[in-house]
């Protein structure tokens, strides 16, 4: 992802951590790969649904 976006690995790590903490993505490791998947909340926000309730 870092190479594709033209940013450092550290930057990707910081951003994915923020997205996980906001419950917008989940992350799973499979061998040497990492899979990031948008949660239902993340998908709603990507779809432009600004009326979703966000719980702390």
């Amino acid at each position: 992802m870092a190479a594709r976006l033209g940013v450092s690995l550290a930057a990707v790590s910081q951003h994915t951590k923020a997205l996980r903490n906001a419950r917008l993505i989940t992350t799973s490791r499979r061998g040497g790969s990492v899979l990031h998947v948008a949660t239902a909340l993340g998908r709603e926000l990507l779809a432009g649904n600004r009326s979703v309730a966000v719980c702390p």
Side-chain angles (χ1 to χ4, degrees), residues 12-49:
V12 170
S13 178
Q14 290 173 350
H15 283 86
T16 55
K17 181 179 179 181
L19 292 169
R20 274 193 308 277
N21 289 344
R23 299 177 189 201
L24 298 177
I25 66 169
T26 59
T27 301
S28 60
R29 298 187 193 295
R30 295 183 183 171
S33 300
V34 179
L35 178 65
H36 304 289
V37 178
T39 62
L41 174 59
R43 290 188 301 274
E44 286 289 326
L45 292 173
L46 285 170
N49 185 354

Side-chain angles (χ1 to χ4, degrees), residues 1 4 7 9-10 14 17 22 27 31-32 34 43 52-56:
M1 184 184 299
R4 188 174 207 176
V7 298
L9 290 173
Q14 290 173 350
K17 181 179 179 181
T27 301
V34 179
R43 290 188 301 274
V52 291
V54 179
C55 300

